[in-house]
Amino acid sequence: MEQRIIESVLKDLGIKNKNYGANSGSSTGWIKTGGKELVSYSPISGQPIASIVQATRSNYDAIMTRAKTGFEKFRMMPAPERGQIVRDIATVLREKKEALGALITLETGKIKSEGQGEVQEMIDIADFSVGLSRQLHGLTMHSERPFHRMYEQWHPLGIVGIITAFNFPAAVWSWNALIAAVCGDVILFKPSSKTPLTAIAIQNCIAPVVDKYDIDGVFNLIIGERAEVGDPLLNDSRIPLISATGSTAMGKKVATQVAARLGRSLLELGGNNAIIITKDCNLEMALRATLFGAVGTAGQRCTSTRRIIIHTAIKEQFLTLLIKAYEQIKIGDPLKDDTLMGPLIDSQAQANMMQAIETAVKQGAKLVYGGTRLKIPGLEQGSYVTPAIVEAANHYPIVQEETFAPILYIIEYKELEDAVRMHNDVPQGLSSSIFTDSIKDQELFLSHKGSDCGIANVNIGTSGAEIGGAFGGEKETGGGRESGSDAWKNYMRRQTNTINWGENLPLAQGIVFNIKGVQK
Ligand code: NAD
């Protein structure tokens, strides 16, 4: 990893050796934090990139005060004007795409084109949000009472807390922050402590836009430890919505804490995604989708393909092709153009992967490829692995879990109904897919007795969703929906309005409540 590249990327994005961990959006919005130092290490080399002075509880309170003031002004700005702000943010993101994408690669270890792709996703969401800013519409319904009009409208919610996972440190901010912003909310962003620099870079990128529109307090950032920042955020009744992306274990804690104060949570949690491969599918397409799904982002996407449920008749043929393809995958420095798989996020993730493979074998599985630690010359401190292929049965306890690493379980089936049953027989319900040329099989998979996931694809892998659809999953994935479609409704409060423009006061349901001498 070249020091020169790192230095130019950091300079371009305004990252210093030591940074503050709280900001209210504008170029003067940094708060002199006084908490513990947090060092961001690159998973590529294991070397430190830069550090952050984390926020304390009192820094949290200061940011909340600015957020509250910011909201009072921002909610009265017409939504299409808020859309203009997001449009300017999209312009900055286009200008900074290269640098921000490179920083994402540096901090997460995902390959260069995926780092760039993540910024493109931010741009796409921004463009989508600009259009949305003119479409935040409610319904009008006919009143049962004469001379009455009834309709519903959507108001901004207030301060939205955004907790993000390390693996999409920028895109998940945009899914929430940009849509919430056109809705008139202000944002309090708490990133993963594994990827704090990307969060700081986002703040620096948008600061000129915040300055131009004088909206300090709308896009707030806070980086800090659980006791100082995480818990206050979850317990704070000034925050009506917490949108949390991360593991199911985290989601259970967030859901419980936020529910205890009757706040709302929007949860985007772990997946255990499978592709069903039928015997009459286009096998080459299925193979390519499996490769990107299982090995892309080193198996560290919520939508990564973790299980292949394949018809017995083609299993051996597919496995041979898959192993051949795995042997070709270039693993190493994700900043290099020809690398297809970078490192895992840290040594803990590497240890978790090794442990999961050992457990799988103990439970009866067979490791057929990879699953080893890898030393890349010059990058010995990085957490590199060879992706693993494991023949297993769906009911093994380890197969039921999401291991956030490139482990692909191969499971056989004979009847499609069994394949679908096994497919659904896991606690998570995020993304799913079937490869088949049979219309009947496609329709079964998409029917009420088919996939139980939030995302169900035909002849497309599990990984890499477009932003136009609502994104999220069922069961232990948390039930949240973000991004496209009508996911914006999560960030607003619905109000039903009834207006009486007549001379009488009829009650609903025909109730009579007459008091002598008061009504005509
Ligand atoms: P994680 O659960 O360890 O952390 C996620 C975030 O939650 C971090 O910001 C962390 O600081 C915070 N957090 C953890 N415990 C908390 C608590 N008690 N209170 C407040 N905040 C808390 O997850 P990770 O390792 O960063 O990311 C990987 C996980 O995220 C995987 O399970 C993956 O499937 C999931 N993920 C889901 C989606 C989705 O859209 N469904 C997207 C990306 C990642």
Side-chain angles (χ1 to χ4, degrees), residues 164-167 190 226 245-247 250 268-270 302 402 471:
T164 58
F166 80 82
N167 65 331
K190 194 218 79 66
R226 194 160 304 162
T245 303
S247 59
M250 175 280 288
E268 294 287 356
L269 311 174
C302 52
E402 178 198 49
F471 181 90

Side-chain angles (χ1 to χ4, degrees), residues 162-224:
I162 303 175
I163 297 173
T164 58
F166 80 82
N167 65 331
F168 277 94
V172 173
W173 171 83
S174 67
W175 291 356
N176 289 281
L178 299 182
I179 292 182
V182 296
C183 290
D185 299 320
V186 303
I187 285 97
L188 183 56
F189 175 28
K190 194 218 79 66
S192 161
S193 50
K194 291 173 188 170
T195 50
L197 299 178
T198 302
I200 290 172
I202 292 171
Q203 292 298 113
N204 285 337
C205 287
I206 66 173
V209 181
V210 171
D211 291 347
K212 176 179 163 190
Y213 290 94
D214 191 20
I215 50 158
D216 185 84
V218 170
F219 294 102
N220 305 284
L221 167 71
I222 190 109
I223 300 169

